[in-house]
Structure formats: structure tokens, C-alpha cells
């Protein structure tokens, strides 16, 4: 005789923090949307009108000159920022307001700015690849949409330091989940493709 348990092994009780600029979203392990499966999303903007973020760990095998042909050859990490506006190119950086028209996000992290100035700084070799990340497209949520998804359990909100954000790579999801604490260990055991079990 068996009894069905009303228990979700992967549901974790934890102290929730609210989304805001500079924080990250960590996808719960069962999130099946291919755009966000096992993703870590940096939030560049969050207000009453909605949210804009960039997936940090969907690294593309492109050179910067593939996207911006008139730019110098510059070793840069380029990620698929999200499914919105896939023809657009965005960047976050730690260069501060030496980049005109940039937006301060949190601490020493900035979003966007003048591509012309960026190009000049690259030509002058005044930027290192550890100071900038590029994204193709972005992730966007309308008014109250992200809060609903968090309530439904699709995301956990957390914080990362700039070293993790700018150097996390494709393994960022697993390292970020581990950082959440031992209560989240079941997430790391969840198979990447449940249909293979």
C-alpha cells in the first residue's frame, strides 16, 4: 500500500528578499522555459513599470567583432541576455561615468552608455575584459509580472559581488545556488533534463 505525499522536495523555506537593481534572480531547478533554465539574471532596472535584466550564464561563442564589426578585436564575454529584442546589444561594466550616458546600477556596476566612447577606450587599451560584459537581447518583465513569478516559486532573489557577476561563467547557477545555503542542496541534485530519469 502506498500513500501520495503532498510534499515538494524542491520547495525551500527561506528568508525572501525583494528584487531591486543590482540583485540577481536564480531560476528554480524545474523552470522549463529554455530562455531561463538554470539561469542567473542580473537586474539592471526594477521599478513600478517593470524590470529589465540580463542572463549572466548563457555564454555565446561569438567574438565582439561578429556583433560590432567596426570595433577592435577585444576578448569579451558575450551572453544571451534574454529573449527580448534579440537584435540589440547591451553591456554592463565597472568603468563608471568615464562612459557617457551610462546608468549607475549598484556599487561600482553600471549599465550601458556611449558605444563610441567604449570603442575609443578599447582602441587605447584602457579596458580589460574583466571590466565589461556584453549581452545580445535582454530579459524583461511588465508591471508586477516578476513579483508574480517569484510568488509562484520560479525565482529566488539574491545578491552577488562584482567578481562573481563579471567572472562567473556558465557554472554560475550551481555556485550561486550553493551560496544560498544547505537548505538549497536539493536544487543541485535536480537533473538538468528530468525526462532522462
Amino acid at each position: 500500500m502506498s500513500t501520495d505525499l503532498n510534499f515538494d522536495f524542491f520547495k525551500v523555506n527561506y528568508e525572501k528578499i525583494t528584487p531591486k537593481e543590482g540583485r540577481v534572480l536564480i531560476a528554480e531547478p524545474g523552470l522549463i522555459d529554455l530562455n531561463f533554465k538554470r539561469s542567473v539574471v542580473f537586474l539592471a532596472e526594477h521599478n513600478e513599470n517593470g524590470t529589465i535584466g540580463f542572463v549572466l550564464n548563457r555564454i555565446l561563442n561569438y567574438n565582439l567583432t561578429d556583433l560590432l564589426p567596426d570595433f577592435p578585436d577585444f576578448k569579451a564575454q558575450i551572453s544571451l541576455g534574454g529573449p527580448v529584442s534579440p537584435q540589440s546589444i547591451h553591456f554592463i561594466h565597472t568603468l563608471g561615468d568615464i562612459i557617457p550616458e551610462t546608468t549607475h546600477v549598484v556599487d561600482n556596476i553600471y549599465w550601458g552608455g556611449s558605444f563610441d566612447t567604449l570603442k575609443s577606450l578599447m582602441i587605447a587599451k584602457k579596458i580589460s575584459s574583466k571590466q565589461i560584459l556584453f549581452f545580445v537581447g535582454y530579459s524583461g518583465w511588465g508591471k508586477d509580472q516578476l513579483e508574480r513569478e517569484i510568488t509562484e516559486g520560479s525565482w529566488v532573489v539574491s545578491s552577488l559581488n562584482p567578481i562573481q557577476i563579471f567572472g562567473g561563467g556558465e557554472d554560475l547557477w550551481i555556485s550561486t545556488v550553493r551560496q544560498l545555503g544547505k537548505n538549497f542542496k536539493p536544487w543541485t541534485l535536480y537533473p538538468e533534463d528530468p525526462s532522462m530519469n
Side-chain angles (χ1 to χ4, degrees):
M1 181 173 139
S2 68
T3 303
D4 290 332
L5 296 176
N6 184 16
F7 177 70
D8 183 350
F9 182 64
F10 297 101
K11 186 172 177 59
V12 179
N13 289 319
Y14 64 99
E15 186 176 337
K16 294 177 172 62
I17 64 173
T18 57
K20 72 176 188 177
E21 290 94 343
R23 289 186 174 160
V24 294
L25 303 176
I26 304 165
E28 65 91 10
L31 188 62
I32 56 173
D33 183 325
L34 291 179
N35 294 301
F36 297 115
K37 183 178 178 183
R38 293 195 174 216
S39 66
V40 179
V41 182
F42 176 77
L43 299 182
E45 181 176 282
H46 179 73
N47 56 43
E48 65 278 1
N49 299 316
T51 305
I52 293 174
F54 302 102
V55 178
L56 295 170
N57 59 329
R58 287 282 182 280
I59 298 169
L60 299 170
N61 190 23
Y62 287 127
N63 295 316
L64 188 60
T65 51
D66 294 332
L67 305 177
L68 300 167
D70 61 334
F71 266 56
D73 188 18
F74 180 84
K75 184 176 172 60
Q77 180 176 300
I78 302 166
S79 299
L80 184 61
V84 183
S85 192
Q87 302 302 317
S88 62
I89 299 170
H90 306 266
F91 62 96
I92 61 172
H93 59 90
T94 60
L95 300 163
D97 53 14
I98 65 166
I99 305 275
E101 302 158 37
T102 193
T103 301
H104 179 244
V105 179
V106 66
D107 298 329
N108 66 331
I109 301 177
Y110 294 76
W111 166 33
S114 166
F115 276 86
D116 289 336
T117 301
L118 186 61
K119 178 180 171 183
S120 297
L121 290 168
M122 287 179 177
I123 291 169
K125 300 189 183 318
K126 292 186 174 178
I127 300 179
S128 89
S129 60
K130 294 180 179 176
Q131 293 176 290
I132 191 163
L133 295 175
F134 288 90
F135 304 95
V136 175
Y138 68 94
S139 303
W141 292 264
K143 181 179 171 59
D144 300 325
Q145 182 184 0
L146 179 58
E147 282 76 6
R148 284 195 301 274
E149 292 183 12
I150 291 168
T151 300
E152 291 163 2
S154 297
W155 304 100
V156 168
V157 182
S158 187
S159 296
L160 297 178
N161 65 49
I163 292 171
Q164 294 169 300
I165 290 168
F166 285 86
E170 291 184 343
D171 295 329
L172 186 61
W173 184 84
I174 195 86
S175 63
T176 306
V177 169
R178 286 179 178 146
Q179 182 178 303
L180 292 173
K182 64 180 192 235
N183 289 349
F184 285 84
K185 185 169 184 183
W187 281 27
T188 65
L189 306 175
Y190 192 90
E192 284 203 47
D193 185 354
S195 68
M196 298 300 287
N197 275 356

